Amino acid sequence: MQDLATYRAHVNEATEFLREKVGGDARIGLILGTGLGKLAEEIEAATIIHYGDIPHFPISTVESHHGRLLSGKLGGVPVLAMQGRFHLYEGYDGRQITFPVRVMKQLGVETLLVSNAAGGMNPLFRRGDLMLLTDHINLQGVNPLTGPNADEWGPRFPDMSEPYDRGLRDIAEQAALNRAIRLQQGVYLAVEGPNLETRAEYRFLRTIGADAVGMSTVPEVIVGNHMGMRCMAISVITDECFPDSLEPVSMEDVLAAAAEAEPSLTAIMRAVVEEIGK
Ligand code: HPA
């Protein structure tokens, strides 16, 4: 792992680079995951910056992820949006994955809205459902906060009693109700990936209290909480992970389900942004 002083210097350089390009108006940051990058198309007058052009930014290696940062307005509210994120399975460490969250906070972002694709283990969930995260379980085997703590960024032992902000969850729930969108709620469990789970693993993960499983989001939300950001996350349930009736799943199936759910997810995210930006 890179030493903390170098890491912080890199975060600062990326921050200064972006402050010049996009300013510091945005108080809301979005992270758009697998197959969910279309929300980005709704961002008006967007300045688009490729990750490769930002000093020290990691680069998305996953085909289904764009690698661009967008700055513009969603529903009239200034936002910064990551179209494509980073995962442990790409070979990045926890600090690299969460580099953009550190940068966003330094640019003035206070609220982090995250989307992802996940496998549904709760038997009441169906492919294409949306799930609002109420809590998470980190089973990735690593934590983005290990190593020396940067006290200016946050505490050594951050509280995790409510990683997903209650107020934001209420807004999302109301937005879904108003639009007659079914919004499930539950616990998201993060694994490292990249393989999907075995039947025995799904049975185990369900037993320990998870409703959905995926390969992202938890590192970003841990760092968001470390920096005192309010976080909210929504999963698209892209496959049904019921151990006793498990069917093979392809990446195409996952992307197709994500695409189907995208309009509902976009509507909720947009409504939440508009409500917070009031
Ligand atoms: N497991 C892990 N990650 C996933 C899954 C899954 O079943 N579906 C989509 N992302």
Side-chain angles (χ1 to χ4, degrees), residues 117-120 188 191 195-197 202 213-215 236 238-239 241 249 254:
Y188 174 92
V191 291
N195 60 277
L196 301 187
E197 288 64 38
Y202 285 129
V213 54
M215 306 172 193
V236 175
T238 53
D239 48 306
C241 308
V249 175
V254 167

